[in-house]
Amino acid sequence: MTTHARHIETGDVLDEYVAKYTNWGKWGPDDQVGTANYISRAHVRDASRCVRTGQVVSLAMNLDETGPQTGANGRFNCLRYSVASGTDHASGAQSWAGKPLPRKMGYADDTVVLHLQSATHWDSLAHIFHDGRAYNGFPATGISCRGASRLGTEHLKDRLVGRAVLLDIPRAKGRDWLEDGYPITVEDLAATAEAESVQIRDGDIVLVRTGQMAKCRQQGWGTYAGGNAPGLSFYTIPWLAENEIAAVASDTWGVEVRPNELPDSFQPLHIPTIVYMGLLLGEMFDLEQFAAACADDGVYEAFISAPPLPFTGTAGAPPGPVAIR
Amino acid sequence: MTTHARHIETGDVLDEYVAKYTNWGKWGPDDQVGTANYISRAHVRDASRCVRTGQVVSLAMNLDETGPQTGANGRFNCLRYSVASGTDHASGAQSWAGKPLPRKMGYADDTVVLHLQSATHWDSLAHIFHDGRAYNGFPATGISCRGASRLGTEHLKDRLVGRAVLLDIPRAKGRDWLEDGYPITVEDLAATAEAESVQIRDGDIVLVRTGQMAKCRQQGWGTYAGGNAPGLSFYTIPWLAENEIAAVASDTWGVEVRPNELPDSFQPLHIPTIVYMGLLLGEMFDLEQFAAACADDGVYEAFISAPPLPFTGTAGAPPGPVAIR
Amino acid sequence: MTTHARHIETGDVLDEYVAKYTNWGKWGPDDQVGTANYISRAHVRDASRCVRTGQVVSLAMNLDETGPQTGANGRFNCLRYSVASGTDHASGAQSWAGKPLPRKMGYADDTVVLHLQSATHWDSLAHIFHDGRAYNGFPATGISCRGASRLGTEHLKDRLVGRAVLLDIPRAKGRDWLEDGYPITVEDLAATAEAESVQIRDGDIVLVRTGQMAKCRQQGWGTYAGGNAPGLSFYTIPWLAENEIAAVASDTWGVEVRPNELPDSFQPLHIPTIVYMGLLLGEMFDLEQFAAACADDGVYEAFISAPPLPFTGTAGAPPGPVAIR
Amino acid sequence: MTTHARHIETGDVLDEYVAKYTNWGKWGPDDQVGTANYISRAHVRDASRCVRTGQVVSLAMNLDETGPQTGANGRFNCLRYSVASGTDHASGAQSWAGKPLPRKMGYADDTVVLHLQSATHWDSLAHIFHDGRAYNGFPATGISCRGASRLGTEHLKDRLVGRAVLLDIPRAKGRDWLEDGYPITVEDLAATAEAESVQIRDGDIVLVRTGQMAKCRQQGWGTYAGGNAPGLSFYTIPWLAENEIAAVASDTWGVEVRPNELPDSFQPLHIPTIVYMGLLLGEMFDLEQFAAACADDGVYEAFISAPPLPFTGTAGAPPGPVAIR
């Protein structure tokens, strides 16, 4: 009997991981950034030495109506509105503060309506609750219609800058992408790192490529947003914890494999990681261009700058993430 | 008679600068990023060597209702709504896809309504028009209610990473902040750089601190959004152009001094810079913590990562900017 | 050769109707409400005598995520957000103006993001343009990103109250609904009125039931929003004009039959009616309950109150329409 | 000692009114519309006879940025965005479904962001809670981030049509408006009805004019939204209950006098009325034109149609209210 099967039978692996890997109190009773604490100044300084050529690669999906969301669960693709436009200018229909603009000047302005989890984003530590509690034991009731009084995304605005390692799982397996439902194992992670000649260090931001986004670029989004997907096995939690990684991001909707592995569960990896470890999870990162660059020169590490936009009191937000090689 | 006065009398300095400093066509007829082209890979690589201690400092205002906007001209402070909350979870009122969440799990999600120019942001090259044209000669009519078909912010998602130099003008003058209406001159810029023992190089992102944000933190926003302000003199345009800087950002609403210096004008510096030079302007950057760090150790340069979020077809967008020292 | 075929061959029926039925100037050069002018005070007073039993029937679709929109062309179903909630109250997480609410009080508040054409609505006379002009000859450029300086929905806030006549076309034909693509003809309108023993009078608000909404309630929305549909034939325009009706509303997305009848056209009936006649068109009215009541007692007229909400400067808006029988 | 003073001393008038006037269960355990039940079909039929001349008067504020909100407590004036515009049409920048519009056609569409309590609106019975409960005893936890599972505004879409009586308090007193802080008493209500020769009947929608909106139109909104105001005294609750009125609407932000009369309270009249009686309260109704018409001919009753827009699951919503005289 495998380890996995035994866990599922006893049904307590969730509780086991919670108990074993919780970081509540580790960085003090008021800590609001969790594993981002693993990124020390020395780590950042060393990480900057990963810049070899000066190539900058974005890891962000564009924010527009072509995204994967369907509106289900209140998540829709970004809406954009013109507050002022070039056609208004060209038509002589523009003014500022009630007066025509002088000197043949014109301008455009936009307002967006954005679900913060709709495209590339980090979950903040206010995103998931378990039994009435958020990370570090803060009561879930602190996250109300007024937003998160603690653990909001704004606390991450100078975090998530450091060393990124790309683990391109399908490439290491000689495939274009992993199939939906494929659980990435600890063995997969280790074998991929070895194939890439890269080492995981504490404080790293690990980027796990499944290839699902590449597949959807070819075949359409389909059920990308919440349907079946390749992703991290629940049983990678010990690896994530013991390596003291700062964050893990992937090119899927929810980082973890779907259908989920534990019986009677929904995104169960989110519970030990976000609520107890305070691990930062990044979702829908566009790793395609970065993966191509890494494959090209065989270097799978980079300096990464990916702090989320500081929307106060939110359960997550998009960064403008870049890998600098 | 001073140079400034003469220009104002003849009234043609705007036209003069337009003619002299235009970059239309310089980077090809399809170029959409302007002076961001000055940032070469070699520049980025060298800039990464500015990382000495690994300190990461955010340059972003938080995005929330405490911002400076008043609603005038359609610009308001960021609105945030809970799509799901911790109180819903604690009240047993949550579900996902119509079913209760299993395993005592709960979650929070948010939607924001955000005017993209409302807080810390870059203007894209679709932001300003002159006589029916945008940067590189693209017709203003290409920026409609459907957004910017060209020059949108998405083109900048892997740009604006490089070397930042802080010019802390009031500190060089021994003051806390510049007074509203004070025009920062080329002499001020040069004297500050000299006082800071820092050199401006081509491709740099120049951060000009006026101290106005610090003043408003003490005294309230008042008319920060669109009222009088210290800022770059219109007559710094030759300096900006000749130094081949990639971008200039400041801690004010509009970078340039207000009241504006040219007769019958509104934000006239925006015309030669954005429309003709394709210069990236950053507004409402929070430079306070960075300035304090620079003053502390006397190092006024840093590695900066500040690509705007790629809201497709927009006239500008907020970055999650960090200076890494 | 039929009349229709001839028109199509010569291709000028659109121009013909425009020329023949235009009301530009009829109610003065500043008129902004078009055929709503046909509703006189005497008409309203007489219409109120249609109230026989006091039954009030809503003609409105609910505004929520279950609507027919798909997001195409920027039209989506209404989004709703809680600014305050009962779960916040129950969790002790509420405050007002920064202080806890006294006396065990709590409250809920909502914000909506609403495309004004997304469900039951009237098109205002700012909704459609032809060759640079809107109704009454006003330049289309008067409708900019700042909204409609003329012809906005606010001008209708005390209009569209009067006599409603339901023409239940499928019922008169002994069917549940008309098939998609079926063009309702003048003969259909006349035969239905006769079958219902009802007369059309000037100033009437004519409600044309196709049954498509009933069909979609059974079969799903499908392509209700913009796909094929039963609806008024383009050739009913003379009937609409000569009867001097004030408004016509239907239970379809766009009132007129789809596919459209004229070659190289998109919703061509909208041009002579809205732009030239100033005819008020109502779309996605829910006529099911009203039709059932009319069928029940054989009375197909009612007093109707259906002014749109006065969203200033808009191209249309939802009313809270009621038929009072 | 007056009755009022005694109540305040013992501090239990709130509890007393709650106990005495509760309608929980009166219209069944599932009732969701409260005192709207007082409006019978016979009432509506009789009310229609109030139509004498056919004059239609709107009672709605326009929905735009000129409203009274300041952004405090998440309430802001309606935001409007163009999804398509006349300037786009005039500039040749429009398309539909990706293709140019044929036959020189153009169109405009709008999206609004609307706080439902920001201008003229009815509070639904999901708006106020007391000690964990809403009207009819429904748990407050039924009103979550997903909206109100019960008592939402959609239940009122065929209600609030009937007889309106205007009680123009300042006019009866020979004044333009009541001063802020003036509590309208039962005696004021009775004296005004007598002066107007009008009788209150069960099922009526009572419109109480204070003149505050007229004052603000002259002097600016100031603190109209939530500041001091004239309004109903808390001690009018017995009058509201015993007259079995269906609804009461006023021209102020919150119907009741501010500062509030009960110690340690915030809008205390809202508790017995909304939570226990299920009384519909209408706020920010624009009564100016209607009051002028009533004064003109001395008739203070009218037929009113004022169902709110059926935003599903909301705590209130604007109607397109009209008085028909």
Side-chain angles (χ1 to χ4, degrees), chain A residues 49 51 60 62-64 75 80 86 89 104 106 108-110 112 114 127 129 131-132 143 145 147 157 266 310 312 315, chain B residues 49 51 60 62-64 75 80 86 89 104 106 108-110 112 114 127 129 131-132 143 145 147 157 310 312 315:
Chain A
R49 303 305 176 244
V51 180
N62 285 356
L63 294 157
D64 58 39
R75 293 175 170 184
R80 189 208 59 78
H89 162 65
K104 304 183 179 175
D109 259 21
D110 315 85
V112 295
L114 175 70
H127 182 49
F129 315 117
D131 199 12
I143 293 94
C145 287
K157 76 180 184 181
F266 176 72
T312 305
Chain B
R49 303 306 175 243
V51 180
N62 285 355
L63 293 158
D64 59 38
R75 294 176 169 183
R80 190 207 60 78
H89 163 64
K104 303 184 179 174
D109 259 20
D110 314 86
V112 294
L114 175 70
H127 182 50
F129 316 116
D131 200 12
I143 293 93
C145 288
K157 75 180 184 180
T312 304

Side-chain angles (χ1 to χ4, degrees), chain B residues 287-304:
Chain B
L287 303 175
E288 293 312 296
Q289 194 187 344
F290 183 48
C294 295
D296 205 42
D297 63 11
V299 178
Y300 285 83
E301 64 172 10
F303 188 51
I304 186 172

Side-chain angles (χ1 to χ4, degrees), chain D residues 23 29 47 50 67-68 135 174 200 204-205 233 237 262 271-272 280 311:
Chain D
N23 288 325
C50 295
Y135 168 71
I200 305 297
D204 277 353
I205 296 171
S233 166
I237 288 177
L262 301 201
I271 298 174
L280 281 310
F311 289 101

